Amino acid sequence: MQLAKYILIITSLFLSACSHQNTKSIVTPNANVLELPLAPIEICNTPIPDNTLVWDRIRNGFSIPVEDNPRIQQELDWYVANNGYFERVIERAQPYLHHIIQRLEAEGMPLELALLPVVESAFRPNAYSHASASGLWQFIPSTGRLYGLNQDWWYDGRRDVFASTDAALRFLKDLHARHNNDWLLALAAYNSGSGTVNRAIRRNQAAGLPIDYWSLKLPRETQAYVPKLLAVARIIHHPEQFGINLSPIPNKTLIASVPISGQLDLNRAAELAGIDVETLNILNPGFNRWATPPQGPHHLILPIELTERFCAAEALLDKNDRLRWQRHEVKSGETLGQIAQKYHSGIKAIQVANNLRGTTIRKGQELLIPMSSKEFRGAPISKTSARTVINVQKTADGKSYYIVQAGETWWRIARYMNTTIDKLTATNKLTVNDTLQTGQQLLYPEDANIADSNQGTRKLEAQQNQTQTVHYKVRSGDSLYKIASRFSVSVANIRLWNALTRNAPIKPGQRLKLYVDIRRDSASNG
């Protein structure tokens, strides 16, 4: 299904009236991070505002003073020439924009900032950059942690729409205060860092030049960054002048953060809410696994009209029905990885459930295995970041091989090939108990159709993977090992993806193509 369909689901159902309740921030506390301000969490019984459009509300809140500048006009020209792209981005903003505007108004901030995700991420919560920035607001791992966005195996707060919005507003307010209450300088610093902006200011001061944003010599990306936002605001203010059609987003609460009483299987949560799990994952891209984290945050973002149903159903849910558990007796030679694959679970989840510090297990040991009630399907990635069939290779004799990617299972690969696990394992003279290795080659069964598999790739990636293509520019001092470690991929895969021979050197400035699992990377940064 396409994202537009889910947006239609969210915006078309308004069946229940609902009320505000203030509670603590949804960001999990951490002794080493800045304390976030209290933020309203929408829960059951929230009243729906009047039926105006969100665009009227946002225009009334524009307050950043701007003079005409050729750099703004240049960005305007691009957006107008690519109006289809602009309209798609605005359509993706539908579920989130009303909430962002509410938070900005509560903080007394300009509503132009509600459009910043257009520039940062094209309003894709799963957007991921070559600099390891993630989410609507594109936080890098270190800044995300500084502003309370936890990142671990279970959860990445940078992709949590509510948590990252609160963090971004706090960050922007800090930058505004740090840069003489100038929003243009604050935005430049959001893009390139305060240090970069301050150095540019000092250079101009030393040369007797003006120190406003437009006069500073900043990195090329930052030179275009602020004009892009101002161009977007100008289009939103007068869309008819530019031939842009804005999706009619109602000035209503469309999504709400609902507290839950503990760890919960996401498939079970979807059943309780009466929503398909794909839509649930679109609204909750911060969760990396099949369940909410055992230590929190304990909340879910849902369409507002489904919150009352969910609250009532979750309150009646037996604690034994929140997750599915399976007892497993360790057999001779088994590893945690093999057991995790067998049950579609995760090594870390098994370690946590059984208080294991390492991966050592012994024959006869009984393990409690946390599992999803169904095969977990992660939040879909956008069309612009979905990878093509890069994991299929053909040999000179015409045989086709599949290159195993990080975290894949026999079940997923067989489904991708449109074949059965039995046929796949038999063709490769293996069994389902054999551990798959990243970069391993699997021969296609004779009846598997590569063309059908191409369709299977698109379908499977739209449902399960959170893999994004990253074009990485090699830096001085880089090695393949360093790059592989940074992005949680293997050296062998980097060579494969870039047709590098075993002893081929890499040089500063060289471009490498990487296929990065967003969830895996967030766990490694946590």
Side-chain angles (χ1 to χ4, degrees):
M1 288 187 184
Q2 296 179 347
L3 179 59
K5 182 173 180 180
Y6 301 130
I7 294 173
L8 182 61
I9 293 171
I10 294 167
T11 56
S12 63
L13 300 174
F14 293 97
L15 305 177
S16 306
C18 287
S19 68
H20 287 70
Q21 174 174 327
N22 286 331
T23 183
K24 292 183 179 179
S25 168
I26 56 178
V27 179
T28 304
N30 186 308
N32 297 319
V33 301
L34 299 174
E35 183 180 355
L36 291 176
L38 294 181
I41 292 185
E42 310 290 344
I43 63 169
C44 301
N45 301 320
T46 303
I48 302 296
D50 59 62
N51 196 28
T52 59
L53 293 181
V54 80
W55 304 119
D56 300 320
R57 185 173 179 179
I58 196 171
R59 291 178 192 120
N60 290 335
F62 284 170
S63 60
I64 297 178
V66 181
E67 299 178 2
D68 284 336
N69 188 283
R71 281 151 61 186
I72 299 176
Q73 187 60 49
Q74 183 178 350
E75 301 303 330
L76 268 172
D77 292 343
W78 189 92
Y79 282 125
V80 172
N82 295 272
N83 60 349
Y85 165 81
F86 187 89
E87 290 167 5
R88 288 194 301 272
V89 171
I90 293 302
E91 185 175 333
R92 280 201 293 268
Q94 286 194 36
Y96 320 115
L97 200 52
H98 183 271
H99 172 76
I100 294 172
I101 290 171
Q102 281 189 312
R103 295 298 301 122
L104 285 165
E105 288 178 338
E107 297 294 334
M109 300 170 73
L111 294 194
E112 287 96 336
L113 301 178
L115 303 171
L116 195 56
V118 173
V119 179
E120 284 287 350
S121 62
F123 265 103
R124 296 174 310 190
N126 281 317
Y128 187 84
S129 80
H130 65 85
S132 300
S134 188
L136 282 182
W137 301 92
Q138 289 290 280
F139 276 97
I140 61 172
S142 57
T143 306
R145 283 190 289 268
L146 180 64
Y147 281 86
L149 300 176
N150 289 354
Q151 302 147 58
D152 56 34
W153 189 76
W154 287 98
Y155 169 79
D156 189 339
R158 298 176 300 162
R159 298 198 305 269
D160 183 316
V161 173
F162 280 27
S164 65
T165 295
D166 278 352
L169 269 52
R170 177 69 177 272
F171 186 25
L172 285 163
K173 287 185 77 172
D174 286 350
L175 293 172
H176 183 244
R178 199 177 301 164
H179 292 282
N180 199 30
N181 297 326
D182 186 318
W183 278 116
L184 300 188
L185 292 178
L187 287 164
Y190 190 91
N191 176 251
S192 61
S194 284
T196 299
V197 174
N198 286 333
R199 284 190 292 273
I201 289 174
R202 287 195 294 269
R203 284 195 299 268
N204 276 25
Q205 286 175 329
L209 299 173
I211 57 172
D212 62 285
Y213 166 76
W214 303 105
S215 302
L216 298 180
K217 186 177 181 180
L218 294 164
R220 181 179 301 177
E221 179 184 325
T222 312
Q223 294 276 13
Y225 180 82
V226 176
K228 283 181 182 178
L229 176 65
L230 299 176
V232 172
R234 190 166 295 183
I235 292 171
I236 297 301
H237 204 277
H238 298 291
E240 68 285 348
Q241 291 183 8
F242 303 101
I244 300 289
N245 295 314
L246 298 180
S247 300
I249 305 177
N251 184 30
K252 297 179 179 180
T253 300
L254 300 181
I255 56 176
S257 182
V258 180
I260 56 177
S261 55
Q263 189 175 24
L264 182 63
D265 183 323
L266 293 177
N267 285 291
R268 181 76 69 202
E271 292 172 0
L272 297 178
I275 194 174
D276 61 88
V277 72
E278 292 169 84
T279 303
L280 184 75
N281 284 318
I282 285 173
L283 296 177
N284 296 272
F287 297 128
N288 293 332
R289 307 297 159 186
W290 69 90
T292 61
Q295 304 301 322
H298 296 309
H299 74 275
L300 282 173
I301 297 176
L302 297 172
I304 186 67
E305 71 279 359
L306 301 180
T307 56
E308 187 171 0
R309 168 183 173 150
F310 177 85
C311 289
E314 202 253 347
L316 298 175
L317 187 64
D318 187 276
K319 66 179 181 180
N320 295 321
D321 291 334
R322 302 185 70 83
L323 291 175
R324 180 183 169 198
W325 299 90
Q326 176 74 42
R327 292 192 177 276
H328 177 87
E329 183 176 324
V330 178
K331 299 177 179 61
S332 178
E334 276 191 320
T335 66
L336 273 184
Q338 291 171 331
I339 295 170
Q341 284 189 354
K342 179 178 180 179
Y343 293 104
H344 302 299
S345 187
I347 293 175
K348 290 190 178 181
I350 297 173
Q351 289 174 318
V352 170
N354 295 274
N355 295 317
L356 300 177
R357 293 187 176 182
T359 58
T360 301
I361 52 177
R362 63 182 185 280
K363 179 183 177 182
Q365 182 178 358
E366 191 172 78
L367 297 175
L368 197 60
I369 313 296
M371 303 167 55
S372 174
S373 56
K374 300 177 182 177
E375 175 70 13
F376 175 66
R377 298 174 179 182
I381 54 176
S382 69
K383 293 179 182 178
T384 55
S385 63
R387 57 188 171 100
T388 55
V389 185
I390 51 82
N391 44 0
V392 177
Q393 286 192 333
K394 286 192 175 182
T395 58
D397 59 3
K399 292 183 178 180
S400 297
Y401 288 87
Y402 180 87
I403 310 301
V404 177
Q405 306 297 299
E408 289 190 307
T409 64
W410 287 109
W411 184 89
R412 291 184 180 184
I413 296 171
R415 189 175 179 190
Y416 161 78
M417 291 180 175
N418 288 333
T419 188
T420 65
I421 294 177
D422 289 342
K423 288 181 180 179
L424 176 59
T425 53
T427 299
N428 290 275
K429 297 181 174 57
L430 298 168
T431 72
V432 291
N433 294 321
D434 289 312
T435 302
L436 292 170
Q437 303 293 334
T438 301
Q440 180 179 350
Q441 293 183 336
L442 295 178
L443 180 64
Y444 271 72
E446 290 184 1
D447 63 347
N449 187 302
I450 301 297
D452 289 343
S453 295
N454 292 348
Q455 295 181 358
T457 293
R458 290 190 287 272
K459 180 178 179 182
L460 201 57
E461 285 173 347
Q463 294 176 339
Q464 295 175 326
N465 291 337
Q466 293 193 29
T467 302
Q468 183 162 327
T469 303
V470 172
H471 296 278
Y472 180 78
K473 185 177 181 180
V474 177
R475 304 170 185 175
S476 178
D478 269 344
S479 65
L480 286 182
Y481 176 78
K482 286 183 180 179
I483 298 169
S485 298
R486 178 178 183 185
F487 290 97
S488 300
V489 298
S490 69
V491 171
N493 271 351
I494 295 179
R495 290 197 182 106
L496 174 69
W497 297 330
N498 295 276
L500 299 175
T501 62
R502 186 170 185 83
N503 297 318
I506 57 173
K507 301 176 181 179
Q510 183 178 350
R511 294 280 183 175
L512 296 177
K513 183 181 290 186
L514 310 175
Y515 298 96
V516 178
D517 185 323
I518 300 171
R519 292 174 296 174
R520 184 181 180 91
D521 182 77
S522 69
S524 69
N525 287 321

